[in-house]
């Protein structure tokens, strides 16, 4: 199978998926179907420009042939690999559980700071979710612990519990929750949307149903972002 055949086959898969996304069973011009699908699907929206360009290339492949009927416009290897990647993202569900499920260590407001610091050092954590029983109340960071340690040396105060140093979550600092079945692409969207609004993502906690009172079964922080960006 040459590049043109691979391209056309993959484009047909994407076109079929766009029909499923839009629920359109009748013939519709591709650009109109693409616009509608982009409004409904985050991945289509992400690759809308590329898909429009590929529709034009599809037309060139189909209609521009030599006297013997051979394809003139052969897509490059890079183009074929890119459209196949887009098709894989569209046609296969990639839940956050595929990337970020892990044992999440949390702490309670009444835990001793030194105990939390040891856990964070042992596991090389920079952040840890803080709970008041089953309710999340904030995030304790290595920076907050370092600041506390400096104050301890300077003031010799007796701040021994997490509640004394846990970062208050202000209106520009957000903790997000995702269901384990949500698309992994939602991680990217949370970060990009937050940046546009001037907000800081403290962490994204993954639970069974995306409910904040449920036990976290995964966590995403800024250092995990390159991993997901590489995939998408």
């Amino acid at each position: 199978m040459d590049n043109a055949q691979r391209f056309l086959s993959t484009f047909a898969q994407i076109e079929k998926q766009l029909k499923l996304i839009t629920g359109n069973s009748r013939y519709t011009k591709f650009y109109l179907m693409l616009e509608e699908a982009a409004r409904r699907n985050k991945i289509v929206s992400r690759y809308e420009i590329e898909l429009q360009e590929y529709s034009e290339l599809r037309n060139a492949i189909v209609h521009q042939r030599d006297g013997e009927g051979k394809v003139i416009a052969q897509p490059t290897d890079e183009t074929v690999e890119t459209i196949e990647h887009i098709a894989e993202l569209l046609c296969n569900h990639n839940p956050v559980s595929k990337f970020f499920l892990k044992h999440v260590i949390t702490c309670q407001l009444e835990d001793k700071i030194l105990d939390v610091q040891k856990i964070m050092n042992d596991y090389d954590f920079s952040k840890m979710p803080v709970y008041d029983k089953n309710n999340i109340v904030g995030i304790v960071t290595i920076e907050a612990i370092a600041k506390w340690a400096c104050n301890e040396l300077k003031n010799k105060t007796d701040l021994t519990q997490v509640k004394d140093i846990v970062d208050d979550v202000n209106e520009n600092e957000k903790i997000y929750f995702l269901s384990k079945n949500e698309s992994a692409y939602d991680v990217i969207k949370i970060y990009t949307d937050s940046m546009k609004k001037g907000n800081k993502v403290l962490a994204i906690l993954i639970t069974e149903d995306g409910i904040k009172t449920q036990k976290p079964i995964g966590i995403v922080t800024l250092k995990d972002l390159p991993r997901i960006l590489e995939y998408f």
Side-chain angles (χ1 to χ4, degrees), residues 23-54:
N24 196 337
S25 58
R26 297 180 179 181
Y27 170 76
T28 305
K29 289 184 178 180
F30 182 82
Y31 78 91
L32 293 175
M33 183 167 60
L34 180 60
E35 288 178 357
E36 178 63 24
R39 287 192 288 268
R40 300 187 182 195
N41 185 281
K42 300 181 183 72
I43 295 176
V44 177
S45 177
R46 161 70 176 82
Y47 291 103
E48 184 177 4
I49 294 175
E50 289 88 342
L51 289 172
Q52 183 57 49
E53 292 174 349
Y54 291 156

Side-chain angles (χ1 to χ4, degrees), residues 58-195:
R58 184 273 308 269
N59 292 339
I61 293 173
V62 171
H63 299 296
Q64 296 179 15
R65 297 175 181 262
D66 62 18
E68 298 179 356
K70 293 182 180 179
V71 171
I72 296 176
Q74 278 285 348
T76 64
D77 290 344
E78 181 180 1
T79 297
V80 174
E81 289 168 3
T82 300
I83 194 173
E84 287 176 342
H85 178 63
I86 296 173
E88 194 275 332
L89 294 177
L90 275 177
C91 299
N92 299 309
H93 181 51
N94 292 288
V96 290
S97 58
K98 178 178 177 180
F99 301 91
F100 298 114
L101 282 196
K102 65 180 80 171
H103 175 59
V104 180
I105 299 176
T106 65
C107 61
Q108 294 287 324
L109 284 173
E110 306 301 324
D111 288 345
K112 292 182 178 179
I113 296 174
L114 290 178
D115 292 339
V116 173
Q117 180 188 30
K118 184 177 187 308
I119 293 172
M120 294 177 74
N121 287 339
D122 289 346
Y123 289 92
D124 194 26
F125 291 162
S126 61
K127 300 176 181 178
M128 187 183 294
V130 181
Y131 282 77
D132 181 7
K133 297 182 180 178
N134 293 324
N135 297 311
I136 188 163
V137 294
I139 299 286
V140 64
T141 66
I142 200 68
E143 290 83 4
I145 291 178
K147 183 178 180 180
W148 164 79
C150 290
N151 288 333
E152 279 287 279
L153 292 173
K154 183 178 179 180
N155 302 322
K156 295 185 179 181
T157 55
D158 187 26
L159 301 178
T160 60
Q161 293 179 320
V162 171
K163 66 181 180 181
D164 296 306
I165 68 162
V166 63
D167 288 350
D168 293 327
V169 180
N170 62 47
E171 61 181 10
N172 292 323
E173 295 178 325
K174 308 290 183 181
I175 301 171
Y176 293 87
F177 294 84
L178 286 178
S179 159
K180 69 176 185 179
N181 295 317
E182 294 276 359
S183 170
Y185 189 76
D186 286 334
V187 171
I188 297 175
K189 194 166 190 314
I190 286 173
Y191 274 97
T192 54
D193 288 351
S194 296
M195 289 176 62

